[in-house]
Amino acid sequence: MKNFKTIATMPVNSTFRALYRALYRVLFLVLLGTLIVMPLPAAAQVRIPTPAEVLGYTLGDRYTSYEGISKYLDALAAAAPDRMKLVRYGTTYEGRPLCFAVLGSPSNLARLDQIKADNRKLGDPRTTDDAEAAEFARTMPAIAWLSYGVHGNEASSPEAALNVLHRLLTPGDSATAGLLDSVIVVIDPLLNPDGHERYVNYQLTRTGLTPREDPEAAEHNEGWPSGRTNHYLFDLNRDWAWLTQEESRARIAAYREWMPHVHVDFHEMSYNSSYFFFPAFKPINKNFPASTIEWGEIYGRGNAEAFDREGWSYYSGESFDLFYPGYGDSWPSLHGAIGMTYEQAGTAGVRIRRRDEEILTLRDRLEHHSATSIATIRTTAVNREKRLKDFHRFFDEAVDEGRKGPVKSYLVPPGKDPARTAKMIDLLVKQGVEVWRSGGEFSSGDARSYFPATARPESFPAGTFVVRLDQPAKRLVMALLEREPAITDTSYYDISAWCLPIAYGVEVWWSSAVPGVSLSPVTGAEIPPGSVTGGKARYAYIIPWTSNNSAKALTRLLQAGYKAHTAMREFTHAGTRYGRGTIIVPVRPNPDGIDSAMTSIAAEFHLPIAAAGSGFTESGMNLGSDRAVLLKKPKIAVLAGDPVNTSAYGAIWSMFDREYGIEFVPVEPWRLARTDLQKYTAIVFPDDGAAGRDYAAALDSGFARKLKTWIAAGGTFIGIEGGAVYATQDRMGIAGAKLKSKKKKKDDEGKKETADSKKGSDAPDEEELEKLMTVEEREKKRRREEIPGTIVSVKLDNSHPLGFGYDTTIAVLRTTSEVFELSSSGYNVGVYRASARIAGHLSPENEKFVEGTPFLIHETHGAGNIVLFADDPNFRLFWDSLNKVFLNSVLLMPSIRSVEMAASEEHE
């Protein structure tokens, strides 16, 4: 031992220890260097910033502006470029970019183009058989598209979108771990930036340091207009199928590129509610297969599990149907996705006290939406392969139905208004419907017309559009083009009918065969070119009043200061018969540029314009007749502001601004009461949503007298729905028209009963029966009496200027319960026919009550006019067939005095 200790303390031992320590240091440095240069997992390279770090506050403390949302999206894209891509897909009317985020694993994001190409094959069974589809389902990720903020004032959902983005991209979140490996997630955080900004600005200007919980506080009660709608005050969640707004058109184009397998639209409802998710309520559109409903149950259970863990309240299957095709749940479902609506209690400020005394916060709301967002993605991941197989099966069954069903094609000739026909065809193409054009003339022995029923033509012309049903979009085609969806219930969350050919006034035939003629695919409907025939006019130019584009041409001329007349009588020129309303543009006294102006107008608006060398015609009125009324330059005021219904005003605003280029002045009611009305040729009162009561409350009897004085001096008053009711004897007495009362009808019938008939009768009358009804019976009766949006037939007087350019029958979407009596002092221009229902829900009692009552009334007062529409001809701006009847009221009627109409009748 002594010798061992001696050896251990010798200097050589010290040398060994020093070498050992040096070697240890070298090895440590080498290992450290290896670790430093070794690439870390992508998810750990860059830390994902929290919303608070970028925005300066915690989500839920306040509402996030569009700028803040964009700022956070940019920060996430920069932090995780291999797992998130930003895609700009459009711009709002107010210039805000529309964009969505695409999230996936690095490997999936690197092959997005291939995934989209494979998905297109999966959705087309004509090119992909079941075996190939099964292989795609085995290897492809699913695509889940989550849409937030389509209603700008349902503002918790964009906050949830930011939270979900952060959680999906943050490593270590147990609820989201691995989801991006099997699901591509598309998140559109804000579908309606313009409405959202209107709402956020409202909140910022009305919320103090401490949010007020009292429901009466200003921050919980928006002013006019609310942030729900877009720039033109359109409800974008009613526009998926009609694409009247730029945001809708851009979104649909982007959506069709991806064709997701599940789509969720996030909303808010009353703050006293809880939370709604699918399955949907009745009625269900009959074009959906059973699997669509089954998947609603699957996703519902996934959401329920997430809420049950937290003890949160929810419900499903009790409201929010899957019927109307213009929603963010039904339209995606018609494209093979499982489209769903999720509704969170809200539409309030940051904190609000509910009826149950609970405090609902913005943070609560965003957490609930975040939970269903992640649960939906997880359910998709767990059921990925089955979801993709059913996606393929949806289209496979659709094509098969199209091959075997009783309707195999729709035939759409150019018709009387080729521009309107082309617009409808273009709308179908934009939504993914395959349309063909016939290369030659053909006949169809069993073709049947829509409305009104007309005799089958001997042949259809070359250029007729053909929509075959043996295509993947068959179910969408049926939902949009069929005359009537199956009526399975009497409770409707929205309108009960919408048939696109009837709405557009386009001639459409359906056939049990595909025409045996050469067909070429249509990528965009081309309108036949317009031109001026007959060279340079010496006397006048003639524009037929048969097209909506004719109104665009007239507007351009009048606003540019040109002189134009409308024909109160028919006439024949150069072998062509021209109807009432035809526009006559004289060469004199118009300026020298009239010839080039007419050539440009014919080309721009695709109109056939005739050049007349003489005012003498072959039959009917001459071009220089007193029956050719000189039209005034329109100076139109439209009520805008509280209490005007925002959607009713928005339809007029968008139509005038974007469709027809009509200049007008939006005027708030209180200001109109103080202004000089003589500068306006027409004043339009859109619906007030309260049967004229809100107008009557806002505008006193003094204004009514002022309005009648203006009308007597030559002004034209135009009332629509509530705006029309406001003018009746039942409200302000501006017009002679009255409302029809159901009670009065019952009383009149009761008087017919004799005293003897009452004696000995123990049977209770209808009023007594109503008193004995159960709660359920009362609810069923209320549903039966509703008119939720029903297509009805109207007999139109097309000899009246309001009916110029029409046949004697039109279709109107009836959405109101107010019914007018026939005017005894004016013209009942449009009258609801007997058995008026064409499509949709209308109880026999209501159909009988509406029968023979006016849709459109014209009364005269002094030198002016009163025009009353019982229903809105501009409803959601997709009822194109009625554009001209409304435009007749604002462009033609202000120039037609009562004495001129009498003179016309005198010379009949």
Side-chain angles (χ1 to χ4, degrees):
M1 178 68 85
K2 180 177 178 181
N3 292 337
F4 176 80
K5 289 182 179 178
T6 303
I7 294 170
T9 58
M10 290 176 62
V12 67
N13 265 344
S14 300
T15 302
F16 284 150
R17 283 194 294 271
L19 287 172
Y20 177 79
R21 285 194 292 268
L23 180 61
Y24 178 81
R25 291 191 186 99
V26 170
L27 290 173
F28 175 78
L29 291 174
V30 169
L31 179 61
L32 180 61
T34 302
L35 291 173
I36 290 173
V37 298
M38 181 182 294
L40 295 175
Q45 285 187 28
V46 180
R47 182 178 173 276
I48 302 301
T50 66
E53 290 169 338
V54 176
L55 302 174
Y57 55 87
T58 301
L59 289 180
D61 287 351
R62 56 181 290 187
Y63 287 102
T64 305
S65 67
Y66 171 84
E67 181 184 7
I69 292 171
S70 300
K71 185 178 179 181
Y72 190 57
L73 290 176
D74 289 339
L76 292 178
D82 60 334
R83 289 175 293 139
M84 172 177 157
K85 295 184 183 297
L86 276 180
V87 178
R88 177 171 173 172
Y89 67 91
T91 306
T92 72
Y93 289 114
E94 294 178 11
R96 297 182 176 92
L98 294 161
C99 66
F100 57 76
V102 182
L103 285 74
S105 67
S107 61
N108 282 338
L109 234 59
R111 60 187 188 104
L112 282 181
D113 289 342
Q114 184 61 52
I115 291 171
K116 287 190 285 185
D118 291 347
N119 194 44
R120 284 192 292 271
K121 294 176 184 176
L122 189 67
D124 192 344
R126 297 168 303 181
T127 60
T128 306
D129 60 27
D130 290 345
E132 291 171 311
E135 181 61 18
F136 282 135
R138 189 182 68 81
T139 59
M140 270 179 56
I143 303 172
W145 187 304
L146 308 181
S147 293
Y148 304 84
V150 70
H151 291 150
N153 61 355
E154 298 176 7
S156 68
S157 67
E159 309 294 328
L162 301 185
N163 188 44
V164 172
L165 283 165
H166 177 256
R167 292 189 61 182
L168 287 171
L169 293 173
T170 299
D173 189 318
S174 60
T176 63
L179 293 182
L180 297 185
D181 293 329
S182 55
V183 184
I184 296 290
V185 181
V186 180
I187 290 182
D188 189 335
L190 189 53
L191 278 68
N192 180 10
D194 294 349
H196 177 266
E197 283 306 277
R198 193 182 312 132
Y199 180 72
V200 170
N201 287 336
Y202 180 91
Q203 286 292 325
L204 291 176
T205 56
R206 284 161 178 79
T207 304
L209 292 174
T210 303
R212 283 112 175 149
E213 297 171 355
D214 188 333
E216 304 307 318
E219 60 210 73
H220 305 306
N221 299 279
E222 292 176 87
W224 194 100
S226 74
R228 176 184 179 88
T229 51
N230 77 335
H231 172 79
Y232 279 107
L233 308 186
F234 265 73
D235 185 334
L236 295 178
N237 194 40
R238 305 297 192 276
D239 196 44
W240 284 73
W242 319 129
L243 309 188
T244 70
Q245 300 299 290
E246 184 58 38
E247 295 92 338
S248 302
R249 291 188 287 271
R251 181 176 65 255
I252 295 310
Y255 184 101
R256 285 192 53 234
E257 181 183 347
W258 288 85
M259 289 296 286
H261 309 117
V262 59
H263 177 269
V264 181
D265 199 19
F266 292 86
H267 289 265
E268 287 189 338
M269 52 186 170
S270 165
Y271 60 84
N272 284 307
S273 298
S274 57
Y275 196 102
F276 169 86
F277 44 71
F278 267 37
F281 186 52
K282 297 182 299 182
I284 306 294
N285 193 293
K286 67 180 180 182
N287 291 293
F288 294 123
S291 62
T292 299
I293 314 307
E294 292 166 4
W295 276 102
E297 296 273 355
I298 292 170
Y299 280 102
R301 286 194 291 271
N303 289 327
E305 183 181 341
F307 269 50
D308 288 342
R309 279 197 302 269
E310 302 293 338
W312 294 335
S313 298
Y314 61 88
Y315 69 97
S316 65
E318 298 174 29
S319 58
F320 305 109
D321 62 32
L322 196 61
F323 188 66
Y324 171 69
Y327 286 141
D329 51 16
S330 50
W331 190 91
S333 294
L334 289 165
H335 282 76
I338 302 305
M340 296 176 289
T341 291
Y342 295 171
E343 297 269 356
Q344 161 65 45
T347 59
V350 174
R351 294 175 61 86
I352 190 168
R353 184 177 298 278
R354 295 156 42 101
R355 277 197 302 262
D356 60 9
E357 295 300 313
E358 293 290 326
I359 302 300
L360 178 67
T361 69
L362 177 58
R363 185 168 290 111
D364 295 333
R365 290 146 61 189
L366 77 88
E367 286 178 353
H368 296 165
H369 269 330
S370 298
T372 53
S373 299
I374 293 169
T376 297
I377 300 169
R378 178 165 295 283
T379 301
T380 304
V382 170
N383 298 277
R384 180 192 60 78
E385 190 167 345
K386 175 177 168 53
R387 178 78 283 277
L388 268 60
K389 286 180 178 179
D390 279 1
F391 179 77
H392 173 77
R393 185 158 61 97
F394 176 93
F395 297 108
D396 190 28
E397 292 175 348
V399 173
D400 192 54
E401 289 169 3
R403 289 196 191 107
K404 299 175 181 177
V407 180
K408 291 186 172 60
S409 67
Y410 288 101
L411 313 176
V412 190
K416 296 178 181 178
D417 189 350
R420 195 160 70 235
T421 300
K423 182 179 178 183
M424 189 190 82
I425 293 298
D426 194 55
L427 174 62
L428 293 175
V429 171
K430 279 183 167 64
Q431 296 183 68
V433 174
E434 296 174 358
V435 180
W436 292 264
R437 183 186 282 108
S438 69
E441 185 178 289
F442 65 91
S443 61
S444 180
D446 72 338
R448 304 180 199 179
S449 66
Y450 263 73
F451 167 82
T454 54
R456 183 187 306 119
E458 292 185 5
S459 64
F460 289 85
T464 293
F465 298 104
V466 178
V467 183
R468 299 176 53 158
L469 291 185
D470 56 346
Q471 61 168 298
K474 181 263 178 184
R475 285 164 169 164
L476 174 68
V477 171
M478 291 297 293
L480 297 182
L481 297 188
E482 63 189 351
R483 174 165 164 164
E484 178 169 42
I487 304 300
T488 58
D489 201 83
T490 55
S491 176
Y492 296 90
Y493 190 75
D494 204 86
I495 60 177
S496 64
W498 50 80
C499 178
L500 191 60
I502 295 177
Y504 267 64
V506 169
E507 182 182 343
V508 175
W509 301 72
W510 62 269
S511 172
S512 63
V514 176
V517 65
S518 63
L519 299 173
S520 56
V522 172
T523 55
E526 295 179 3
I527 307 173
S531 63
V532 175
T533 58
K536 195 173 180 179
R538 283 191 300 143
Y539 188 85
Y541 291 95
I542 304 171
I543 306 174
W545 196 243
T546 54
S547 169
N548 283 1
N549 280 9
S550 301
K552 298 178 184 179
L554 176 61
T555 298
R556 177 73 57 82
L557 288 166
L558 294 178
Q559 291 182 169
Y562 290 102
K563 304 296 183 184
H565 302 250
T566 185
M568 300 289 289
R569 282 288 177 269
E570 298 176 347
F571 63 90
T572 301
H573 173 269
T576 299
R577 185 73 171 171
Y578 290 93
R580 301 168 193 259
T582 297
I583 303 303
I584 301 168
V585 184
V587 173
R588 294 183 180 179
N590 276 313
D592 293 340
I594 187 63
D595 300 307
S596 61
M598 296 307 297
T599 300
S600 297
I601 283 173
E604 181 179 354
F605 299 119
H606 303 270
L607 291 170
I609 298 177
S614 169
F616 198 81
T617 61
E618 293 147 41
S619 66
M621 58 164 271
N622 288 323
L623 302 185
S625 167
D626 289 345
R627 307 297 169 259
V629 176
L630 178 65
L631 297 173
K632 298 176 183 178
K633 180 178 181 178
K635 298 176 181 176
I636 305 165
V638 180
L639 257 63
D642 194 35
V644 179
N645 178 280
T646 53
S647 295
Y649 169 74
I652 296 172
W653 181 16
S654 187
M655 173 194 283
F656 282 1
D657 238 19
R658 312 297 301 193
E659 293 285 323
Y660 291 91
I662 295 175
E663 298 170 4
F664 76 103
V665 180
V667 185
E668 294 177 281
W670 68 269
R671 189 174 293 278
L672 188 70
R674 301 181 183 184
T675 194
D676 177 12
L677 305 183
Q678 299 307 315
K679 55 188 174 182
Y680 303 119
T681 58
I683 298 175
V684 182
F685 274 52
D687 183 33
D688 66 348
R693 296 183 185 87
D694 286 350
Y695 278 142
L699 297 164
D700 61 18
S701 58
F703 173 75
R705 290 191 295 271
K706 177 180 178 179
L707 192 60
K708 290 190 72 172
T709 300
W710 168 76
I711 295 169
T716 294
F717 170 87
I718 300 154
I720 300 173
E721 291 193 358
V725 176
Y726 162 77
T728 63
Q729 290 294 311
D730 303 79
R731 296 290 185 266
M732 302 307 294
I734 295 166
K738 298 178 182 179
L739 293 177
K740 185 178 179 180
S741 169
K742 284 187 177 181
K743 185 176 186 302
K744 180 180 178 181
K745 183 180 178 183
K746 288 179 184 177
D747 290 346
D748 289 344
E749 289 173 350
K751 290 175 183 177
K752 293 177 184 177
E753 296 181 15
T754 63
D756 291 339
S757 67
K758 292 181 180 180
K759 289 179 181 179
S761 174
D762 296 326
D765 59 21
E766 185 177 343
E767 190 172 327
E768 288 297 317
L769 286 173
E770 287 183 11
K771 294 176 182 177
L772 297 172
M773 282 182 177
T774 65
V775 171
E776 184 176 358
E777 289 169 339
R778 287 173 186 266
E779 176 63 16
K780 287 181 178 179
K781 181 177 184 295
R782 182 191 65 78
R783 290 180 180 181
R784 285 196 306 271
E785 291 180 348
E786 284 183 342
I787 305 178
T790 307
I791 305 175
V792 292
S793 175
V794 167
K795 179 182 179 182
L796 186 71
D797 177 5
N798 63 0
S799 68
H800 188 286
L802 288 169
F804 283 176
Y806 284 92
D807 292 328
T808 56
T809 299
I810 59 174
V812 171
L813 187 70
R814 182 156 185 83
T815 60
T816 58
S817 58
E818 302 297 329
V819 178
F820 289 82
E821 291 184 352
L822 290 170
S823 174
S824 58
S825 59
Y827 301 86
N828 297 290
V829 182
V831 176
Y832 296 105
R833 292 182 179 274
S835 302
R837 192 191 77 85
I838 298 171
H841 169 70
L842 187 65
S843 69
E845 297 83 1
N846 273 333
E847 188 170 25
K848 190 68 178 175
F849 185 59
V850 170
E851 175 186 317
T853 66
F855 156 69
L856 179 57
I857 295 172
H858 169 229
E859 296 181 355
T860 59
H861 178 60
N865 303 292
I866 299 169
V867 178
L868 307 178
F869 288 92
D871 282 286
D872 191 346
N874 310 314
F875 182 81
R876 291 183 189 165
L877 209 54
F878 81 95
W879 214 264
D880 275 39
S881 63
L882 297 185
N883 280 186
K884 207 158 65 268
V885 75
F886 174 64
L887 295 174
N888 284 345
S889 73
V890 294
L891 297 178
L892 305 187
M893 288 306 298
S895 304
I896 300 174
R897 299 191 307 168
S898 58
V899 290
E900 290 167 335
M901 290 200 62
S904 294
E905 292 166 352
E906 187 178 321
H907 287 77
E908 183 68 57

